[in-house]
Amino acid sequence: MLMEFVAGALLVTGIGCTAAVLLTVASRRYASSDNSIVDLVNAELPQTQCAQCGYPGCRPYAEAIVNGEAINKCPPGGDDTITRLANLLGRPAAPLDPSLDNSDPDRVAFIDEEECIGCTLCIRACPVDAIIGAHQMMHTVIESECTGCDLCIEPCPVDCIEMRPVEKLHELPEPAPATEMPCIQCDRCEEVCPRGLKPQLLHWYLDSPERLQRLDVAACIECARCDNVCPSHIPLATRFGNVKQKLEQQAEEARRAARLEHRYLRKQAREQQDTERISKPPAKSDRAALINAVKGEVSH
């Protein structure tokens, strides 16, 4: 009886130790990483590096969010970004911080070249190197790289920088015939499509970008043959043209965000290198050579 009790106790102890070891290994192997969470949060931010959130760029703000900062301080991202962050982090969504609300975020900086004195202060303030120029020479803005952050305006001593609205693309006007009816799935549009597309399916999935891309909506040439045979008089070609434009805009915004993030990180690295080079004293072995070189220049 005693032996059975001892054996049972040893068995339970062994199971407990094994479970403890397995849990320790799993916790180390699959431990959640703050960096991975920061990467996920950073991926949801628009990467404009505009600093309107109070941080120098999107990744610093992502790190602050993971550490408890509010998720509603990104004007370029707006309500869509706040909703995605709330879903990702399990936090309640909140309206954009009123103090950061910008009713016209689609703007770019413009420099009055005749008034510019070439002080380079705006160049230093720009987080994405969107301003080019040299000391005491005219500066100009690379419009495609400007994020509209306003950071260049305040340091300008001659007030020669202003923000101007970006010209937006507008949707094609959609005809609205009084006879338009719901799609009846007749397949006539598929029969006449010169690109072999399925206009009927494209119409069903107009609000699903992923499905539209799989159905190759970009191949539509907007010939309107599907419109001509549609018994429901649905303006298919116009709607496909508008959705193609939206998808291309989204793709361009993604490419631009990646480009801006690269420029921001490159500038941050350059400034860090400059700081280290300036703050780091020369090695003792180099000091004598530097002193002798200076003395030699003075003597000559």
Side-chain angles (χ1 to χ4, degrees):
M1 185 70 179
L2 179 61
M3 293 300 294
E4 293 179 358
F5 175 78
V6 172
L10 290 175
L11 178 61
V12 172
T13 302
I15 293 174
C17 291
T18 304
V21 171
L22 292 175
L23 288 173
T24 300
V25 172
S27 64
R28 291 179 178 178
R29 183 173 181 179
Y30 302 106
S32 60
S33 168
D34 285 346
N35 287 334
S36 64
I37 298 174
V38 170
D39 290 338
L40 291 174
V41 172
N42 187 48
E44 296 296 342
L45 298 175
Q47 304 305 322
T48 58
Q49 319 302 338
C50 65
Q52 295 180 61
C53 58
Y55 296 88
C58 289
R59 186 168 185 85
Y61 180 43
E63 294 172 352
I65 288 176
V66 172
N67 291 327
E69 177 61 274
I71 62 175
N72 64 335
K73 294 188 175 183
C74 179
D79 292 335
D80 289 342
T81 295
I82 293 172
T83 300
R84 291 198 301 272
L85 290 174
N87 294 334
L88 175 65
L89 299 172
R91 299 186 192 175
L96 180 66
D97 188 332
S99 65
L100 301 173
D101 190 11
N102 186 347
S103 58
D104 185 19
D106 297 318
R107 301 176 301 159
V108 293
F110 174 81
I111 297 177
D112 187 337
E113 298 175 356
E114 294 183 359
E115 298 294 330
C116 177
I117 60 175
C119 66
T120 72
L121 293 177
C122 58
I123 292 179
R124 288 178 238 169
C126 180
V128 292
D129 282 339
I131 302 177
I132 56 175
H135 183 60
Q136 294 186 347
M137 299 185 71
M138 178 268 294
H139 301 346
T140 191
V141 177
I142 306 175
E143 184 174 321
S144 62
E145 307 300 332
C146 177
T147 64
C149 65
D150 293 355
L151 295 178
C152 57
I153 292 181
E154 185 175 350
C156 180
V158 293
D159 196 25
C160 70
I161 305 177
E162 65 175 344
M163 303 304 296
R164 294 187 174 181
V166 177
E167 184 176 349
K168 300 179 182 179
L169 295 175
H170 299 285
E171 291 189 359
L172 298 172
E174 183 177 309
T179 55
E180 180 180 339
M181 297 177 291
C183 174
I184 60 173
Q185 306 177 29
C186 64
D187 293 337
R188 294 182 186 177
C189 52
E190 295 184 20
E191 297 172 359
V192 299
C193 180
R195 303 304 297 271
L197 301 178
K198 299 181 180 297
Q200 177 176 289
L201 289 178
L202 291 174
H203 182 254
W204 290 349
Y205 296 125
L206 283 176
D207 295 325
S208 178
E210 293 182 359
R211 288 181 178 271
L212 288 175
Q213 290 176 343
R214 287 201 295 268
L215 291 169
D216 199 17
V217 68
C220 173
I221 59 175
E222 302 168 48
C223 63
R225 292 187 183 180
C226 51
D227 291 6
N228 295 333
V229 298
C230 179
S232 297
H233 304 290
I234 301 173
L236 297 168
T238 301
R239 291 178 182 171
F240 297 158
N242 284 334
V243 78
K244 283 170 54 182
Q245 179 174 286
K246 289 180 180 177
L247 291 174
E248 178 55 34
Q249 283 180 325
Q250 292 172 358
E252 176 56 31
E253 288 172 1
R255 291 191 293 267
R256 184 169 182 266
R259 189 171 64 246
L260 290 173
E261 183 180 25
H262 173 71
R263 293 173 71 91
Y264 167 75
L265 294 175
R266 187 174 60 185
K267 180 173 182 177
Q268 293 291 98
R270 186 178 69 246
E271 290 178 346
Q272 181 64 29
Q273 290 175 354
D274 292 343
T275 301
E276 292 175 355
R277 184 168 57 250
I278 293 172
S279 61
K280 185 178 181 181
K284 291 183 178 180
S285 58
D286 297 332
R287 292 178 186 174
L290 290 171
I291 293 173
N292 291 333
V294 171
K295 289 181 177 178
E297 291 180 2
V298 172
S299 61
H300 291 298

